[in-house]
């Protein structure tokens, strides 16, 4: 957490274990600095085909073909950058304002491809004094002139995904099994252990959920309020949930070039 | 992490496991689904799985970590398998594979295989149009098959599925990838790469499983690691939430399966072992093929290096059903190889006739494909001509390399100098059920036999097989000194889950003026052997045809029957009672309409055989049509083997047996019900024997839960039974200690002691034998302490009871002077198996027995009096007296009656005639007479009289010519087998039933000129015509088929 204030609060409400908060970036200068120093390093350069060479080469030992796979892995994915930047902003913001750490910098294009199986955009730990909690989060972005925007609703909407995460123990355990080798023997091992201990002791409920909505519109409490109330009905102690809308001083479509160009 | 995770989890884990046990017990026993806290079980299982992953990532090889991992994985498996399967096929497949992989890591592979066989798995979409789905389905399917290993069919299916997947890749993969959301397509592609490696790893394993190599490469671990490393590399790049944790589990369990593979365990030993493994794996490419060893076998063969070991003495102390015989077979092959140039041989010692037969059959089946001749010599103590030809067989291809017999017979063989006669070195002695060395009546003989072998057979190595004992190392050191090893596995591995309980009747509502309804209640008992137990009782309504009311059911026999009737719904049940007559009446209780079944072909065969042997009214014939078999010492060996055979093949629902069966059961059973926990003389079973039978409950190949139930007709009995179950088997002690404690001052006079304590005969014979072996030195008295140190017991006696040890030493010194008196017939001690003092007493009585007496034509004639005189003499021999007197019914020594029985027996008189003539007591029916006859004739008279006659022949035969001696030496065997010709003796030795042997001997030419191996070959190849010629159409077919069963064909 840094001491420099970055945002100003537009609205803040709470219903039981769920809080929702709207913040605007204070000014262009600070945002620029934030983007280049905090969010930017979290966005890796898109990789080329060479990175996959070893995997493709190894495949020959299985007697399976690699032609189609080669083509797919070599192709660049155009949509990827904008999402990556929004997630980087969310991660950097949560690190700074909520003391969340990220053991694993996940590239979006290599996420769990099987939609029916569990996954989360953000997986990290919230350190609170000597204890720590597992953080799971979803990130959405929208320029839509509707409050709330459609990304908040429906099966693939943020609300549903958060409900799913909170309700589906199996998927969280599966995430933990996946996360374990990434923390084992790293600086995150202790944090991971503490979070798991708390999680198991709480009957698999001590999780902090974050839903981050990145907007380039005017702040509006309606973006989050309805979703906040409905989540409050479903979540059980000691699960907590924070919905955060970040209102940017620039258009969403400008983000990617600004990051690539060092924020200018 | 795992440390605190596991300790933090303790309480919920215990609660969850408690629920899982409860569910298992109730589901399996009374088919009553129980309420489960699925969330508790699921989250405990998930946490355990997490701990397992953590321990795997830790990678520590320390035993403590490995154990922790094993236990956590086994518990996770126990929990997961109780959960409902997810409805969706792929998810269900994934769940089953995780569960199976955890089972492998928990050394519960056999349980997982059984679980999969019993439950199957859902139809996985291996033909799906969706390539991702198809690939996942195939990978799940093939790995599930590798865990299940249902013979060759699963292995073949693995190869076929992967080949099909590979062939269809070109048709489906591109379209699938193109159809994916562009954002996810790279992850998808990476996932496919990972799955292809998993498929290839499965293929590699399938080849290794049956061939021991893959494309010329024997390094299975490296081959597997190559692919798993690549899967994990791919996972490292992507968020493959399902694939990655699964791959970690699979990588570890594949490594474990490779470790368990019979190829890995036996690699690089010698070509004989490789050929043996080939034959085990091949087994007609059927489902009996053996691909991997059980964890205790792995521990013994690979981790403890049994096969590479040059240790002279090894004690393998493992729980029952751990597959000790296979371990022994490997050790045999190694010993045979080691002394191949000298054509060394192996002695396998088993405690009972039944086990000698069973083991011979098994070893023959397993080792004959390797051209290793396995022979058994009869427990009749004398070596007759036929056996002597067998032992001396000069033809290399027919000469035995493995000899199976009882310790008593082997003792006399060695003392009579048979190792030199055989002309090849004894290289390995295997002692099965070696804990018997602490047995009161026979233990000391076995101990002293081993001491003798240790002193005198230069090449001999030892392998002792025992149920778990605490001091295995001490026992091994006794024989091998520094060159010893013990392989012990206490209680942390069980072949299957098991529940042990006390069954009582609980009084119910009044059903008439004087009678009440009842229910059967089982209390499961906590034991030290990880048996399952729950706090509440398990209830059954009880079969009201077997017993209608509470007062009718409430005695241990009926209670056992009523409970067995409930239990048999899960599979065949052994029901045990204390005495043969109780066994008959218990068996009768199962004659209720619902048990009547039309007999199978095999059951019908045995019924016809019984009819021919015992007449049509023999009760067992009718019992068998109710699915009931009977097994006790009153039945001939043949019949008992046939009962075991039918029962093992599940063609009988009940096998009602005396408790003595506990010592001889070598096959798995689903349930055991005990009406009594005592032997016929009212002595409690030893913990070893109890656990031997309890350890057989639950089959490794089917029926997940084994049940052992003890019937109690009142509360006190129930308490006594709980105490009985919880008695511990501790250290293995020498019988010498107990004998010395009991004898006390009697040890001052070791000459006289055999008259009151015949069990001391083995000890004084050991002294005489050693004295003779050392060349009868004058200094024997001084060396005696050194000699006694060769025994297992003496050292312990000196350490724990020094005054008794000194007393024994003093007694031995006095006895030594007796041995050293001039003209003592010391040599006869070794040729008769009698103590010196017995021989001297016999010598005084046999003046009238001369060369003419030993005439096979006349000795058994009704009018001949010589046999009476012989029996009269034998009745005075302390070593024989107890058995012979018992036969005559305790009415004082009666040599005439013994001689008459022996004559009838030898002349081929039917059992029922002998029974009625000599054993029909007041108030007895024919069955009771037959039972008594059988118990006395097979159990006591035949063996004891044959031994005595052999001894008399040694004592009186010194003036006989070689020709006379050769003719006479088969006479004791005629008594042993109850036949009247040498040809019939040969056939009996080959396992032909008595009645059949007598008739068949007349119809086969040249039996005596041929080696036993070749006669056995002739019998095997003989078509039915010869049998029919000897017996007529019906009997010929029956005898032929029965013989083939007895021979294990």
């Amino acid at each position: 957490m840094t001491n420099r204030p970055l945002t100003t609060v537009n609205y803040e409400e709470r219903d039981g274990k769920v809080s929702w908060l709207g913040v605007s970036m204070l000014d262009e200068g600070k945002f620029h600095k934030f983007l280049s120093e905090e969010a930017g390093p979290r966005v890796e350069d898109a990789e080329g085909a060479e990175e996959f060479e070893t995997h493709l080469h190894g495949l020959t030992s299985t007697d399976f073909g690699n032609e189609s796979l080669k083509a797919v892995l070599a192709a660049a994915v155009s949509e990827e950058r904008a999402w990556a930047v929004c997630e980087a902003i969310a991660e950097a913001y949560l690190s700074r304002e909520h003391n969340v750490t990220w053991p694993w910098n996940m590239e979006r294009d290599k996420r769990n491809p099987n939609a029916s199986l569990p996954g989360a955009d953000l997986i990290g730990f919230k350190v609170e004094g000597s204890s720590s909690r597992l953080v799971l989060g979803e990130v959405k972005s929208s320029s839509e002139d509707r409050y709330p925007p459609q990304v908040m609703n429906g099966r693939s909407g943020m609300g549903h995904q958060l409900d799913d995460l909170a309700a589906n123990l199996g998927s969280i355990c599966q995430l933990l099994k996946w996360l374990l080798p990434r923390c084992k023997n790293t600086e995150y091992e202790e944090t991971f252990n503490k979070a798991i201990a708390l999680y198991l002791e709480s009957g698999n409920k001590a999780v902090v959920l974050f839903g981050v909505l990145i907007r380039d519109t005017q702040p509006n409490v309606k973006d989050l309020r309805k979703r906040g109330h409905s989540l409050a009905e479903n979540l059980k102690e000691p699960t907590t949930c924070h919905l955060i809308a970040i209102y940017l001083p620039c258009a969403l479509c400008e983000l990617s070039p600004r990051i690539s160009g060092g924020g200018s | 992490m795992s440390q605190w995770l596991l300790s933090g989890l303790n309480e919920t884990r215990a609660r969850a496991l408690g629920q899982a046990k409860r569910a298992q017990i109730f589901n399996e026993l009374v088919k009553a689904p129980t309420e489960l806290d699925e969330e508790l079980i699921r989250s405990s299982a998930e946490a355990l799985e997490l701990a397992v992953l953590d321990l795997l990532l830790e990678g520590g090889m320390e035993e403590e970590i490995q154990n922790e991992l094993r236990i956590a994985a086994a518990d996770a498996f126990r929990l997961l398998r109780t959960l409902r399967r997810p409805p969706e096929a792929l998810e269900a497949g994934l769940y089953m594979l995780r569960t199976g992989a955890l089972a492998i890591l928990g050394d519960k592979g056999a349980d997982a295989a059984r679980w999969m066989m019993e439950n199957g798995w859902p139809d996985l979409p291996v033909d799906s149009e969706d390539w991702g789905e198809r690939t996942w389905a195939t990978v799940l399917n093939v790995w599930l098959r590798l865990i299940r290993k249902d013979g060759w069919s699963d292995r073949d299916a693995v190869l076929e599925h992967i080949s099909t997947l590979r062939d269809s890749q070109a048709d489906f993969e591109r379209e699938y990838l193109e159809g994916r959301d562009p954002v996810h397509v790279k992850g998808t592609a990476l996932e496919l790469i990972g799955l292809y490696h998993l498929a290839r790893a499965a293929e590699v394993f399938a080849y290794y499983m049956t061939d021991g190599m893959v494309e010329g490469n024997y390094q299975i671990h490296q081959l597997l690691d190559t692919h798993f490393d690549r899967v994990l590399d791919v996972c490292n790049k992507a968020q493959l939430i399902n694939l990655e944790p699964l791959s970690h589990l699979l990588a570890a369990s594949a490594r474990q399966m490779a470790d368990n593979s019979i190829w890995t365990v036996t690699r690089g030993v010698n070509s004989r072992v490789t050929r043996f493994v080939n034959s085990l794996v091949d087994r007609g490419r059927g489902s009996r093929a053996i691909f991997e060893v059980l964890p205790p076998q792995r521990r013994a063969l690979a981790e403890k290096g049994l096969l590479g070991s040059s240790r002279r003495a090894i004690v393998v102390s493992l729980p029952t059903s751990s597959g000790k015989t296979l371990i022994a077979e490997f050790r045999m092959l190694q010993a045979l190889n080691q002394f191949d140039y000298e054509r060394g041989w192996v002695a396998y010692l088993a405690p009972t006739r039944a086990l000698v037969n069973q083991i011979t059959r098994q070893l023959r089946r397993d080792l004959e494909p390797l051209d290793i001749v396995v022979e058994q010599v009869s427990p009749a103590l004398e070596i007759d001509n036929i056996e002597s030809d067998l032992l001396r067989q000069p033809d290399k291809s027919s000469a035995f390399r493995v000899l199976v017999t009882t310790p008593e017979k082997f003792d006399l063989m060695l003392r009579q100098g048979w190792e030199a006669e055989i002309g090849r070195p004894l290289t390995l002695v295997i002692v099965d059920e070696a804990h018997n060395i602490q047995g009161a009546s026979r233990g000391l003989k076995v101990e002293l036999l081993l001491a003798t072998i240790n002193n005198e057979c230069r090449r001999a190595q030892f392998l002792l097989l025992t149920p778990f004992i605490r001091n295995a190392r001490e026992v091994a050191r006794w024989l091998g000194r520094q060159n010893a090893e013990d392989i012990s596995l206490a209680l942390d591995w069980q072949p299957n889950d098991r529940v042990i309980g006390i069954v009582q009747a609980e009084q119910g509502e009044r059903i008439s003026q004087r009678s009440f309804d009842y229910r059967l209640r089982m209390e499961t008992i906590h034991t030290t052997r990880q048996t399952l137990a729950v706090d509440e009782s398990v209830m059954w309504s009880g079969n009201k045809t077997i017993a209608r009311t509470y007062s009718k059911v409430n005695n241990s026999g009926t209670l056992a029957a009523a409970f067995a009737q409930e239990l048999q719904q899960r599979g065949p049940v052994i029901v045990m009672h204390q005495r043969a007559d109780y066994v008959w009446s218990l068996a009768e209780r199962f004659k209720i309409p619902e048990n009547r079944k039309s007999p199978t072909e095999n059951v019908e065969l045995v019924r016809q055989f019984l009819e021919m042997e015992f007449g049509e009214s023999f009760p067992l014939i009718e019992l068998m049509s109710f699915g009931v078999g009977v097994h006790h010492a009153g039945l001939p060996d043949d019949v008992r083997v046939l009962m075991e055979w039918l029962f093992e093949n599940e063609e009988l629902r009940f096998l009602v047996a005396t408790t003595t069966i506990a010592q001889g059961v070598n096959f798995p059973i689903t349930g055991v019900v005990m009406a009594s926990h005592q032997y016929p003389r009212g002595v409690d079973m030893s913990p070893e024997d109890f656990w031997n039978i309890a350890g057989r409950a639950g089959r490794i190949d089917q029926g997940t839960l084994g049940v052992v139930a003890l019937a109690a007709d009142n509360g006190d009995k129930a308490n006594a039974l709980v105490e009985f179950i919880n008695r511990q088997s501790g250290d293995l002690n020498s019988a010498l200690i107990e004998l010395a404690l009991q004898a006390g001052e009697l040890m001052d006079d070791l000459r006289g002691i055999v008259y009151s304590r015949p069990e001391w005969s083995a000890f004084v014979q050991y002294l005489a034998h050693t004295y003779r072996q050392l060349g009868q030195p004058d200094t024997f008295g001084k060396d005696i302490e050194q000699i006694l140190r060769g025994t297992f017991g003496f050292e312990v006696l000196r350490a724990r009871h020094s005054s008794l040890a000194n007393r024994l030493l003093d007694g031995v010194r006095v006895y030594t002077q007796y041995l050293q008196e001039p003209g003592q017939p010391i040599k006869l001690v070794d040729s008769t198996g009698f103590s010196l003092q017995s021989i001297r007493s016999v010598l005084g009585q046999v003046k009238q027995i001369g060369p003419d007496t030993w005439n096979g034509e006349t000795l058994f004639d009704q009018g001949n009096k010589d046999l009476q005189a012989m029996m009269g003499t034998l009745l005075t021999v302390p070593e024989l007296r107890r058995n012979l007197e018992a036969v005559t019914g305790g009415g004082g020594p009666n040599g005439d009656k013994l001689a008459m029985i022996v004559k009838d027996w030898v002349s081929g008189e039917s059992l029922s005639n002998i029974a009625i003539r000599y054993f029909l007591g007041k108030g007895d029916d024919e069955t009771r007479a037959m039972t008594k006859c059988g118990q006395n004739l097979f159990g006591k008279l035949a063996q004891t009289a044959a031994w005595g006659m052999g001894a008399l022949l040694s004592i009186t035969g010194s003036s006989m010519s070689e020709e006379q001696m050769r003719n006479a030496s088969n006479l004791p065997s005629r008594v042993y087998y109850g036949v009247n010709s040498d040809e019939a003796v040969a056939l009996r030795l080959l396992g032909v039933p008595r009645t059949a042997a007598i008739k068949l001997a007349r119809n086969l030419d040249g039996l005596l000129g041929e080696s036993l191996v070749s006669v056995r070959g002739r019998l095997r190849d003989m078509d039915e015509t010869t049998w029919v010629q000897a017996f007529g159409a019906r009997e010929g077919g029956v005898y032929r088929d029965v013989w083939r069963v007895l021979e294990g064909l």
Side-chain angles (χ1 to χ4, degrees), chain B residues 16 26 135 204 278 310 488 730 779 948 969 987 992:
Chain B
F26 280 87
T135 312
V204 162
N278 252 320
S310 56
S488 298
T779 54
S969 68
L987 291 173
V992 178

Side-chain angles (χ1 to χ4, degrees), chain B residues 572 595-609 621-628 642-643 645-653 1038 1041-1042 1045:
Chain B
N595 284 340
R596 190 182 273 284
K597 301 252 160 56
S598 51
T600 61
E601 207 178 306
N602 289 335
V603 168
E604 196 47 44
L605 171 72
V606 176
R607 291 179 74 212
Q608 290 190 24
F609 173 70
I621 299 169
E622 195 194 2
L623 282 169
M624 287 177 72
S625 59
F626 290 92
V628 182
L642 292 169
M643 289 296 122
W645 170 65
L646 289 175
F647 186 73
E648 208 179 334
N649 289 322
E650 305 198 6
E651 296 187 61
L652 293 175
R653 308 296 297 163
V1038 170
D1041 291 350
V1042 163
V1045 172

Side-chain angles (χ1 to χ4, degrees), chain A residues 47-48 51-52 54-69 71-77 79-80 83 104 106-121 123 169-171 173-178 180-182 184-185 189 192-194 196-198 200-201 204, chain B residues 1-2 4-5 9 39 42-43 46-47 49-51 53-55 57-58 90-91 94 98 131 136 162 165-166 169 173-174 177-178 180-197 199-200 203 215 226-227 230 233-246 248:
Chain A
E47 286 156 309
E51 193 232 349
F52 300 106
T54 1
H55 301 308
L56 289 166
H57 184 72
L59 200 56
T60 52
S61 67
T62 66
D63 290 342
F64 280 91
N66 64 12
E67 283 311 302
S68 309
L69 295 164
V72 164
L73 292 173
V77 182
E79 290 166 281
E80 186 234 326
W83 271 322
W104 173 249
M106 174 51 68
E107 297 151 63
R108 190 177 176 93
D109 69 337
K110 291 168 213 150
R111 288 261 167 79
N112 186 52
N114 204 334
S116 72
L117 296 168
D121 294 343
I123 304 172
L169 282 178
S171 60
C173 280
Q174 196 62 24
L175 277 176
L176 294 180
K177 284 183 248 164
W178 172 83
L180 170 67
R182 286 167 175 73
K184 186 84 190 166
N185 300 326
E189 183 165 352
F192 176 85
N193 290 352
K194 285 180 183 164
I196 303 311
L198 192 63
L200 292 172
E201 276 162 24
N204 303 5
Chain B
M1 171 188 79
S2 34
W4 61 258
L5 178 59
L9 194 63
E39 254 351 290
R42 194 187 312 276
S43 59
E46 298 273 9
E49 188 179 341
L50 199 62
L53 277 177
D54 187 62
L55 287 163
L57 292 167
E58 204 119 320
L90 278 182
E91 271 182 58
L94 183 62
R98 270 169 61 214
W131 179 248
W136 260 106
I162 294 170
L165 186 72
R166 218 176 255 135
Q169 184 191 11
E173 189 192 58
R174 176 179 294 275
L177 288 171
E178 283 170 355
R180 306 298 289 175
D181 181 338
V183 180
H184 289 142
V185 77
K186 283 188 186 171
T188 305
L190 288 170
E191 186 178 55
L192 284 179
I193 292 176
L195 288 169
Y196 296 156
H197 279 291
R200 174 60 186 161
E203 194 175 46
E215 292 160 5
T226 309
H227 293 289
R230 286 185 175 146
D233 274 353
V234 166
C235 291
N236 207 18
K237 271 285 160 203
Q239 189 192 29
L240 302 173
I241 301 251
N242 275 334
L243 187 65
E244 181 169 346
L246 178 70
H248 278 291

Side-chain angles (χ1 to χ4, degrees), chain B residues 783-802:
Chain B
D783 301 337
I784 199 66
E785 207 169 325
Q786 193 57 35
I787 290 160
L788 289 180
R789 274 173 196 260
T791 66
F792 180 48
F794 186 72
E795 287 288 285
V796 183
L797 189 69
R798 208 163 55 166
R800 292 193 204 146
H801 310 278
S802 62

